[in-house]
Amino acid sequence: KAVVSTQSTGFQDDEQTCISCPSTWQKSRSMKSRLTQTSALLTNDASAQSYDTNSTEVQTDSLQPKSKVEHDMGAVAEFLKRVEPSVTKNLTENTSSKAFKGMENVLGMHSSSVNNTLTLNHTPLEFQMSVQDLSWNASGSVVGVAYGKPDHEDWCTHKGVFCTWNIDRGRINVNKADQALDVSSCLMCIEYHPVLPNLCAGGAFNGQIIIWDLSRTEDIEVCVSKNVEDGHHEPVTKLCWQTTAKSNNLLSLGMDGKILKWEVKLSRYQDPELTLIQGFIITGSYIPRDHPTAPSSRTADIGGTAMSFSKEDESTFVVGAESGLVLKCSTLSTELPLDKGIKIQFRSPITLVYNSHNGPVYDMDFSPAHRNLFLTASTDGTIRLYNTLQPKPFQVLEPVSGYVFGVQWSPSRPLVFAAATANASLLIYDLKKSRVGPVLQVPVNQTKSPCYSLAFNTRSDTLCTGDSKGTVKIWKLSQGLSSQVRNEAKMLERIAASSYE
């Protein structure tokens, strides 16, 4: 209440009600109560079994040093002198013995023969797809087959198929693959991982790289190189694995002239990852102008059709081209980067240009027994043997069997290799017996359908072939073609040395 003073003013005291002014900044407070429900806390008691330990002493016998045995060398010499005449006599008689005459073929000691043990077809394809490539897995029990069309006038509109057969299985269905996996376009090449038998890589006509994990029952296609700016944009023609204890790399060759190095990251808990880490490209600017097959345009990219890496130096490899060029290359190239890439720098890998074929080079293979020798096969109908240090081939074989589509060294015999031809022939060469012609010419089929691919099994004495009708045949080699003979590696060394003459 307000009180008004009346001192010396003439006013009277009066009481009035108070006037209040509401606050403009302070708000009234309110409180509300709420209840929440929490889950009951669960507890469990568990017991663990512990083990008792005991210490025990045992008595061991002391090690007694062996006494040195002394030999009476005079007595040994006397013994050898006494038995030498009879041993020499028996050995001489054995060289002229006819006890095993006619048994060489039965024993397979000197015979050169192959026998067809299996004929495989994936009948759902109705013989409309060709075998483009073959590869054995690391255990040698499964053969992989790449199906596609060899000739395309335009962009590929077909679907490719990757098929596998386990030939060690007791009951194998020769008319249907164990696994058949569709690919978005024709499958041009495949390559099994050299250590992991369940992992296989494939290259497609549309430039994609595919990796399959065949140990799975679902989602077998675990990795695809989609939308890679610097990746292949034309058919992939060859794949090669390079593996160490800590890394897995995949190299691919394409008709766009690119040689790409991919890092394949493998994990137990997630799908593999495919990362492009290095790139090379083959261009006309690195081919001598006076070379017979030099491209007219110095900046043109040269399509690669075949590739093989040295078995001893994984940085060295050779490339065959559609134009017939044969090139020595290196992944350690120090050439200046070319203005070709978007995210990676492309370099030229070429270190040497060899004398060319007169047609596309469809296959090539480094010798597993000599670091400098490699074979090439071409549609000019020749098989050539090169030394990496010499530009000219030191041996040219003309089997008169039409185009030669495939060639590969035997993994067990340094002087033996096989070739696949357009007139449906499997040719077996043994340089120990002949350096001119094959020791065997076996018809792959009766319809004269071209034989496009072959692959030796590194785990057994077998090889496989594939033809244009999609038929795969497994061949067993005789002991004479699969067992290394004495001093064979030295014979190959002498053949390599003759290239310098």
Side-chain angles (χ1 to χ4, degrees):
K1 295 182 179 180
V3 178
V4 181
S5 176
T6 57
Q7 296 179 358
S8 66
T9 58
F11 290 99
Q12 294 180 346
D13 294 335
D14 192 14
E15 294 184 0
Q16 299 291 333
T17 60
C18 293
I19 300 173
S20 62
C21 299
S23 173
T24 60
W25 62 273
Q26 188 175 15
K27 296 182 179 179
S28 61
R29 297 180 178 179
S30 62
M31 298 181 63
K32 294 182 179 180
S33 299
R34 292 289 185 270
L35 298 176
T36 59
Q37 179 66 39
T38 59
S39 301
L41 183 63
L42 301 178
T43 61
N44 286 319
D45 294 331
S47 60
Q49 179 67 41
S50 61
Y51 293 92
D52 295 330
T53 60
N54 291 318
S55 299
T56 304
E57 296 181 357
V58 296
Q59 179 66 40
T60 59
D61 295 331
S62 59
L63 183 63
Q64 298 294 331
K66 295 183 178 180
S67 59
K68 185 177 180 181
V69 179
E70 296 183 0
H71 300 284
D72 186 350
M73 300 306 297
V76 174
E78 182 64 27
F79 168 76
L80 294 176
K81 185 178 180 180
R82 187 172 64 255
V83 301
E84 185 270 336
S86 61
V87 172
T88 303
K89 179 182 177 182
N90 287 321
L91 290 175
T92 304
E93 291 177 354
N94 287 342
T95 58
S96 58
S97 173
K98 299 181 180 181
F100 295 100
K101 185 178 180 180
M103 294 295 291
E104 291 87 352
N105 291 335
V106 177
L107 298 174
M109 296 170 61
H110 307 293
S111 66
S112 297
S113 63
V114 292
N115 296 314
N116 178 213
T117 58
L118 277 174
T119 300
L120 309 172
N121 280 294
H122 188 56
T123 51
L125 297 178
E126 298 178 347
F127 303 98
Q128 299 300 310
M129 287 282 188
S130 301
V131 176
Q132 296 294 101
D133 200 9
L134 296 162
S135 181
W136 294 92
N137 76 339
S139 65
S141 60
V142 177
V143 59
V145 186
Y147 283 103
K149 294 279 188 177
D151 301 315
H152 293 80
E153 296 181 357
D154 202 348
W155 194 245
C156 179
T157 57
H158 319 101
K159 280 192 175 183
V161 182
F162 171 48
C163 291
T164 66
W165 278 273
N166 187 335
I167 64 169
D168 286 347
R169 184 172 295 174
R171 294 182 179 180
I172 182 172
N173 189 341
V174 297
N175 295 315
K176 188 176 181 181
D178 298 336
Q179 290 177 300
L181 308 172
D182 289 338
V183 183
S184 57
S185 66
C186 286
L187 192 57
M188 308 305 293
C189 58
I190 55 172
E191 190 72 18
Y192 268 100
H193 192 281
V195 179
L196 304 174
N198 60 298
L199 209 63
C200 187
F205 189 90
N206 60 9
Q208 288 185 354
I209 308 292
I210 309 106
I211 296 180
W212 297 278
D213 184 351
L214 300 167
S215 64
R216 299 186 178 191
T217 56
E218 296 180 352
D219 300 325
I220 298 175
E221 186 182 283
V222 294
C223 194
V224 181
S225 64
K226 291 182 178 179
N227 304 320
V228 180
E229 293 176 312
D230 291 317
H232 292 292
H233 299 290
E234 291 193 32
V236 180
T237 54
K238 185 64 178 178
L239 295 171
C240 296
W241 286 94
Q242 288 186 346
T243 63
T244 64
K246 297 182 179 180
S247 66
N248 292 274
N249 295 325
L250 182 68
L251 289 106
S252 59
L253 173 70
M255 288 294 292
D256 50 10
K258 293 179 181 178
I259 301 158
L260 303 180
K261 187 174 184 178
W262 308 81
E263 181 184 21
V264 183
K265 294 181 180 179
L266 302 178
S267 173
R268 183 180 298 179
Y269 305 105
Q270 59 186 15
D271 289 344
E273 295 181 8
L274 196 63
T275 306
L276 181 59
I277 58 174
Q278 194 175 18
F280 303 93
I281 195 164
I282 302 172
T283 64
S285 58
Y286 286 85
I287 308 300
R289 293 180 182 273
D290 58 350
H291 197 278
T293 53
S296 56
S297 172
R298 302 294 293 169
T299 59
D301 298 334
I302 299 172
T305 50
M307 177 172 67
S308 179
F309 276 79
S310 170
K311 305 300 189 291
E312 295 189 20
D313 179 11
E314 65 178 19
S315 66
T316 300
F317 62 103
V318 288
V319 171
E322 191 175 25
S323 61
L325 279 168
V326 180
L327 308 169
K328 182 182 180 182
C329 303
S330 174
T331 57
L332 304 178
S333 171
T334 57
E335 295 289 343
L336 293 175
L338 302 171
D339 187 20
K340 296 280 186 178
I342 299 175
K343 291 186 177 180
I344 64 170
Q345 292 181 331
F346 283 90
R347 301 176 187 270
S348 172
I350 300 173
T351 59
L352 180 63
V353 181
Y354 298 100
N355 284 21
S356 300
H357 279 275
N358 296 319
V361 180
Y362 272 103
D363 203 4
M364 55 202 334
D365 190 36
F366 256 103
S367 168
H370 196 287
R371 65 178 300 156
N372 292 330
L373 297 184
F374 68 92
L375 291 163
T376 60
S378 170
T379 57
D380 63 6
T382 65
I383 302 168
R384 299 187 180 188
L385 184 56
Y386 287 85
N387 186 319
T388 56
L389 305 178
Q390 302 291 326
K392 295 182 179 180
F394 66 91
Q395 188 157 357
V396 179
L397 304 171
E398 300 183 55
V400 196
S401 299
Y403 295 170
V404 185
F405 290 116
V407 67
Q408 188 176 358
W409 290 97
S410 165
S412 58
R413 279 207 54 198
L415 293 175
V416 170
F417 62 88
T421 69
N423 73 346
S425 291
L426 169 64
L427 307 178
I428 305 292
Y429 286 83
D430 187 346
L431 299 180
K432 181 178 182 295
K433 295 183 177 181
S434 173
R435 292 185 59 180
V436 178
V439 295
L440 277 178
Q441 182 169 350
V442 184
V444 173
N445 55 60
Q446 301 301 320
T447 60
K448 295 295 181 181
S449 301
C451 184
Y452 284 145
S453 182
L454 63 85
F456 277 94
N457 190 339
T458 59
R459 296 288 184 177
S460 68
D461 54 354
T462 56
L463 67 82
C464 57
T465 58
D467 63 28
S468 63
K469 296 298 184 181
T471 300
V472 178
K473 289 193 174 183
I474 310 297
W475 306 84
K476 184 175 178 60
L477 303 172
S478 66
Q479 186 177 351
L481 290 174
S482 58
S483 297
Q484 187 170 338
V485 299
R486 187 179 181 183
N487 296 325
E488 189 166 355
K490 291 183 179 179
M491 296 179 197
L492 184 65
E493 188 69 41
R494 287 196 293 270
I495 291 175
S498 67
S499 65
Y500 300 104
E501 297 175 358

